[in-house]
Amino acid sequence: MKTYDDAPEILLVEDNPNDVELLLRALKKHRITNRVNVAKDGVEALEFLRSIGKDAEGGGKIVAPRVILLDLKLPRMSGTEVLSQIKADPVLRKIPVVVLTSSQEESDLAATYGLNANSYIVKPVDFERFLDIARHIGIYWLMVNEPPVFD
Amino acid sequence: MRSDTHPPSSKGAARDRTVGVSRTRRVPRWLGFATAAIGALALIGWVADVGLLKSVIPGNVAMKPNAALGLILLGAALSLVTSSRAAAARLSGGFALLAATIGAATLMEIVTGLDFGIDQLLFREAPGAVWTATPGQMAPETAVCLVLLGLALPLLRHDRSIVLAQVLATPVGLVAVFELVALALGAKGASPEWPFTLMPFPTATAVLLLAVGTLFTRADLGFMTVATADTTAGKFVRRIVPITAVLMLAIDEANNLGEEAGIFGHDIRAAVSMTVATAAVAVVTWIVAATLHAREMTLRASQRAGGIGSYELDIAAGTWSGTQVLDEILGIDATDPRTLEGWAAVLHPDDRDEMLRYFREHVLGQRLPFDRDYRIIRKSDGQERWVSGRGELTMGESGDPMTMVGTIQDITERRRAEAMLQEAESRLGAVLSSAPITIVATDSQGVFTLSEGKGLERVGLEPGENVGVSAIDVWGSLPFVEPTGEVITGKDVVDRALAGDTVNAVSELRGVYFDNHIGPLRDADGEVVGIVGVAADITEQTLATEEIRELNRTLEARVEERTRQLTEVNSELEAFSSSVSHDLRAPLRSIDGFAKILEENYAPQLDEKGRHYLEVIRSSVGSMGHLIDSLLRFSRLGREALHLGKVDPAAIARIVVQEDLQQETQGRSVKVTIGEVPACMADRDMLRVVLSNLLSNAVKFTGQRDRALIEFGATRKGGEPVYFVRDNGAGFDMRYAGKLFGVFERLHNADEFEGTGVGLAMTQRIIHRHGGRIWAEAEVGRGATFYFTIGDAP
């Protein structure tokens, strides 16, 4: 049984290890958190989230990440599909999902918001701006925003 | 030229014109029997001494025994002369010559005055017998008659000598008539006026019978032909000769009565006789002449009507005579010679030698009828005419050709008509055989009589190949589709056409489709005598129609398929765009990120140069990020819908200058003039992109000017507003104007002017989507002007 303190605050769904490294570095640099769980594709992400659900069925307290950072372009199962499954799950759908992607396509915007994504952020190419964004995400979702309550 | 066969011979023709040949052949045989019977009765009279049998008329001279014998012989000879048995014929000849000998011997006695003892040979006649000069001796005319008849009868056996027999028999008949008339008028025999013994009545009768018999045995030949001919001349001979004889007797009898009654004397009687006889002969001649005249007129008229002239050619003399119509046909007049040379002169020069050779070798040489069509040059007007010449030879006694009688007919019009008909026929034939259709005809049994046309080639048939074949054999089982869609068999088609129906149906044979019109062929009376059909090859139309039908049927499916494909391509394109924006940017971000980390963490270890390289890497990444963003925007433009509305380009331009160009113009002397321009229908956001691109381009390319002058305005060209953005910048070489609007095309060095090479491509794309045009005019170092129209927004 994991303790609350051990529980990850962020589930990062990202297949590109470079991006993972850059984001983790950014979060660490701004001393926001190092409790980040990384899933390398959609299937892994869902498996992790479902394991939380099982704990709940076992009578344990649900310890969910405060936010999911979801890339759209993923191997095996796309981010859109992951989003749709999360939002179809009565428990998991409460967890805020921030789409963090390189895509500026309107179709992606329309699709993800249509699936009740909580936010849509475009990853800039410029690293400085990227750092800046990472800082904003950490501050907002881990400090400003109140997490949902699970029964 | 026609063939030269001409079957009927002149002899046959002559026989055709005689009446009752078989009857006139039998009659002489009975006449022979009658003559022999008279002679025999006379001999019986001598044997039994019955005067009546010898003289018939009491108190008249008696038939002498030799005369009786001669008559019996001649009678037998006449009866046998027509026999087909050679023995009988020889016997006939023997009898005739014997009778002639008796007659000749008697004549010798009379001429020489000697007595050969033949007169009293059979029976003795007492001297002083009534009306007898020399007892027992026949009258000299009887003797002459015996000789003549005895010679004539054998001549009847040969066609060529028949006319001679007739010539010999004619005076005999006249003598007999004379004797009978003399007896009738009361002459008795030897007298002071007539020193010779007259023929006794039975002898005269018998001689007349023999003469008549001889003349009529072969009345179809010799000069007797006319007496039996079925012609006007024959009628005249048969009627007028007896009438004349009776008339003469009647005149004489009337004179006798007149003289006896004392009306006129002997001298007057002779005058009356002469006058009446002359008048009678004149009347008869007149009738004959009038009839002949009418006949000749009719003949001439009919010849003229038929264009037929007739001629008679004397071969030995080489001269001919012809009818007036013939003169007209040949165009000759009385002055032209009626000779063979005269005929040759009118012949067409091309035909002359051939015709003369034909006449010489074929007609005269082989003695065949003349029958040729040839050309002449009509002498009167020099016209070329076609004539048809016919002629038949008549042979003389020697068997050589003597005359030729024939006709010449002008057949120019007929030949012209024939030639025209032939031309029409050959023209029709050419049309038939070259028409891209098939034309067939059959007889009333449905057997092909005609099969022509180019259409036959399509099914591998030769023209005329089907002729003689039954249509039912060819079409019988073939399906024919009527316009109603009903399918009938070829046999139905043939049956219906023969029943008078016209069938219109489509058939297929060896992959070739025919549109058939098959109907009855009728004669002038409207009777169906066959069928006639025309078939047009409609294979191409049929196949094209089928194809169109098939295309129509599949059109919807194909539209769907195409739409599906397009949708697929579209979504693939979107997937590509998305992939570009994501996958190309991710590595760039890594490069930039790690370069930055390197700079932050390891800067002390790097010298100035190393830090510069890191800077270059990061600036390149930045450019590439811009490129990708531009490219994505460009591709998105094609897919976004236009939101048209009335916009004022000048207002948009002002916003652009204020909002977009601020940064770029900072620290520079740039004067942007915005004129009054017409409003237009356009997508506001897109038009802003256009103006932004063009104006920022202008700002960019005037970067090296101390005073940059930029103008936005509009002119009119052909009633359409033309907007322009003009600058006094670097300009460009017009040779490269074609590359101006291509994606990633750049006309300037990147060191001189920054840019992605997408801006103008995007501008052009927006203008095109509005239905407008864009072009530029420039000169290196002297600025550039970009013109564009918005067009009637679609």
Side-chain angles (χ1 to χ4, degrees), chain B residues 89-101:
Chain B
R90 273 200 300 277
L91 202 57
S92 163
F95 287 162
L97 289 176
L98 198 54
T101 308

Side-chain angles (χ1 to χ4, degrees), chain B residues 158-197:
Chain B
H158 304 287
D159 284 359
R160 255 189 247 157
S161 54
I162 279 167
V163 68
L164 197 55
Q166 289 168 352
V167 168
L168 293 173
T170 305
V172 173
L174 287 175
V175 167
V177 170
F178 166 78
E179 301 287 341
L180 286 172
V181 171
L183 287 172
L185 294 178
K188 302 290 191 277
S191 67
E193 306 96 71
W194 187 258
F196 305 106
T197 314

Side-chain angles (χ1 to χ4, degrees), chain A residues 8 23 42-43 47-48 55 75 91 100 107 122 127-128 133 140 144:
Chain A
L23 187 77
V43 177
E47 275 170 5
F48 172 78
D55 288 348
V91 177
L100 189 61
S107 58
V122 176
F127 182 64
E128 259 140 52
I133 283 168
Y140 180 80
V144 179

Side-chain angles (χ1 to χ4, degrees), chain B residues 449-503:
Chain B
T449 54
L450 175 82
S451 172
E452 289 290 344
K454 274 252 181 288
L456 290 167
E457 276 177 20
R458 304 270 289 128
V459 290
L461 285 173
E462 290 290 320
E465 188 177 327
N466 269 345
V467 169
V469 180
S470 160
I472 290 179
D473 288 350
V474 178
W475 297 340
S477 53
L478 219 60
F480 282 72
V481 184
E482 291 194 276
T484 56
E486 202 178 324
V487 180
I488 56 176
T489 68
K491 188 181 181 310
D492 294 335
V493 174
V494 173
D495 289 347
R496 273 170 53 182
L498 284 174
D501 258 5
T502 296
V503 183

